[in-house]
Amino acid sequence: MEETSLGTLRHDWTISEIEAIYHTPLLELIYQAAGVHRQYHKANEVQVCTLLSIKTGGCPEDCAYCPQAARYHTNIKVQRLMDVEQVVAAAQAAKEAGSTRFCMGAAWREVRDNRDFDKVLEMIRQVSNMGLEVCCTLGMITEEQARKMKEAGLYAYNHNLDTSEDYYGEIITTRQYADRLQTLENVRKVGLTVCCGGIIGMGEKEKDRLELLQTLATMKPHPESVPINALVAVEGTPLQDQKPVSVWEMVRMIATARILMPRSFVRLSAGRINFSIVEQALCFLAGANSIFAGEKLLTTPNNLPQTDLEMFELLGLTPRLAYQTELSLTSSS
Ligand code: SAM
Ligand code: DTB
Ligand code: SF4
């Protein structure tokens, strides 16, 4: 593709264009993605997010990668919905550790209109009042539920497409790709920002990765946040024996996502623990500008906070302020 058009915000990417970008010789690809990154973002700034599993395990779905699916025998401690005070305490600790975004995840197929949902709304209210960007990932939601969460102060909703529509049926049978797209539409309709990405390393073909990127990059608007996860192969899940994703595949995914969706935050998400600082630096150079920090993702280990601090120092990275904080700074100045 012509270099002059790089960095243009587009929603009509074709598979052959995406394929050409993905196959650009690696150093050239990183260089191009880094250029696009700098047109829209501060290159030394990384958004730091903390995840909290507010309801763990016992999920009725059959997502082949997931340790929280009740049907697989994994080493997970099932836990009912946490109390609001515990969640607020965790959010406070995350804020003190430097996170500006707090993402609450629940092992639900979908949200039901019951007391648990009211409790989640209260969590959203209290955590957003702390000045953190609040994100939730609770499974499928209706437009009405999305609106209630938005009114409570929710900033983003995470709902991943995980892979291509074609490969989806190999990974999950208990719901359809169309169900995911419907939830994403409900989220959009009420004015929440969208966090939507996928997982690589689940046995999918390269074509599935390209198709996933095309589905994301032809959304209008693009998802504001695009998590790229490397499969965390958990013992007891059907994908336990998948071979680890190499950093080169991760860099190609990140760089391609960066070029296709220049304004979005591209998150180097699950699987980061397997990458050295040097490898992560390549991912940042390729356009990743968001990470999950904290010792745990939802149920699996993440990079140690001390090591991340060292990495930020070594690479001269600074954590990005929360959107809400930036807004209030602007309005008070
Ligand atoms: N239950 C809700 C749902 O599935 O939408 C929300 C929580 S679910 C754990 C959130 C996302 O985590 C999934 O969509 C998937 O992309 C990611 N995920 C789960 N297990 C993973 C694993 N072992 N490796 C990488 N990503 C994983
Ligand atoms: C996303 O894309 N990755 C996060 C978050 N969004 C919810 C989840 C990763 C989960 C990894 C496996 C675990 O810790 O259970
Ligand atoms: Fe349940 Fe979400 Fe895990 Fe699928 S990914 S099994 S829906 S918790």
Side-chain angles (χ1 to χ4, degrees):
M1 74 175 282
E2 285 180 38
E3 207 163 330
T4 45
S5 61
L6 270 187
T8 311
L9 203 59
R10 284 179 49 195
H11 304 271
D12 59 353
W13 295 102
T14 64
I15 280 291
S16 55
E17 283 175 315
I18 299 173
E19 195 176 6
I21 297 173
Y22 189 87
H23 285 292
T24 306
L26 195 84
L27 298 183
E28 179 62 23
L29 175 61
I30 295 175
Y31 175 75
Q32 291 186 0
V36 172
H37 189 186
R38 277 152 183 76
Q39 287 177 41
Y40 291 87
H41 305 271
K42 295 183 188 156
N44 298 318
E45 210 173 72
V46 172
Q47 178 188 52
V48 183
C49 319
T50 292
L51 273 171
L52 178 69
S53 182
I54 57 172
K55 185 268 169 186
T56 309
C59 184
E61 300 288 270
D62 70 351
C63 313
Y65 49 75
C66 188
Q68 303 199 63
R71 65 192 73 201
Y72 311 136
H73 299 285
T74 58
N75 218 347
I76 290 292
K77 194 164 162 250
V78 177
Q79 252 178 343
R80 64 169 185 76
L81 186 65
M82 286 172 73
D83 288 327
V84 177
E85 303 77 64
Q86 286 176 290
V87 172
V88 169
Q92 186 60 41
K95 187 179 173 181
E96 280 160 19
S99 279
T100 52
R101 184 163 167 131
F102 191 69
C103 180
M104 302 186 274
W108 285 330
R109 170 185 165 78
E110 73 232 317
V111 168
R112 305 233 165 113
D113 295 302
N114 55 19
R115 265 186 291 173
D116 273 358
F117 184 45
D118 295 337
K119 224 164 137 181
V120 172
L121 291 174
E122 188 53 28
M123 294 170 189
I124 295 170
R125 252 175 241 122
Q126 296 200 21
V127 178
S128 72
N129 279 338
M130 296 166 56
L132 289 164
E133 284 178 18
V134 185
C135 176
C136 275
T137 181
L138 314 170
M140 294 183 276
I141 55 170
T142 64
E143 187 181 335
E144 186 55 30
Q145 291 164 339
R147 186 164 293 114
K148 284 188 180 157
M149 289 196 270
K150 164 92 179 151
E151 282 164 9
L154 192 71
Y155 181 70
Y157 195 79
N158 164 262
H159 203 61
N160 290 337
L161 286 171
D162 288 339
T163 186
S164 69
E165 181 165 14
D166 236 21
Y167 197 62
Y168 199 76
E170 303 289 322
I171 298 297
I172 300 149
T173 68
T174 49
R175 58 167 189 256
Q176 307 295 310
Y177 213 64
D179 298 328
R180 296 301 269 188
L181 293 170
Q182 182 60 54
T183 286
L184 292 166
E185 206 179 304
N186 297 341
V187 170
R188 260 297 166 227
K189 273 196 208 140
V190 306
L192 285 167
T193 65
V194 170
C195 173
C196 183
I199 308 176
I200 61 171
M202 302 191 294
E204 74 284 348
K205 300 259 181 333
E206 182 192 288
K207 119 183 190 326
D208 299 299
R209 297 180 185 180
L210 303 180
E211 284 172 14
L212 166 69
L213 287 171
Q214 187 190 32
T215 306
L216 297 170
T218 50
M219 288 179 174
K220 204 169 180 180
H222 294 149
E224 283 77 5
S225 169
V226 180
I228 307 288
N229 295 279
L231 174 76
V232 180
V234 179
E235 210 183 309
T237 63
L239 296 182
Q240 64 174 16
D241 295 324
Q242 286 296 318
K243 81 172 198 320
V245 164
S246 88
V247 73
W248 310 118
E249 299 171 272
M250 204 62 179
V251 165
R252 281 197 187 276
M253 275 306 275
I254 288 170
T256 309
R258 167 52 65 225
I259 292 170
L260 300 178
M261 296 169 279
R263 275 166 58 169
S264 306
F265 280 80
V266 176
R267 187 170 311 124
L268 168 58
S269 305
R272 191 168 66 86
I273 195 167
N274 296 322
F275 296 129
S276 68
I277 292 184
V278 175
E279 290 171 327
Q280 292 177 63
L282 271 178
C283 295
F284 296 132
L285 196 57
N289 60 347
S290 179
I291 56 164
F292 287 120
E295 279 177 36
K296 222 159 71 167
L297 291 168
L298 288 172
T299 65
T300 62
N302 191 30
N303 309 51
L304 291 177
Q306 186 54 36
T307 319
D308 278 347
L309 268 180
E310 281 164 26
M311 176 173 76
F312 269 59
E313 226 158 82
L314 255 172
L315 304 180
L317 301 175
T318 48
R320 178 184 182 269
L321 293 181
Y323 178 55
Q324 292 178 336
T325 316
E326 276 179 333
L327 269 187
S328 61
L329 284 179
T330 320
S331 57
S332 64
S333 62

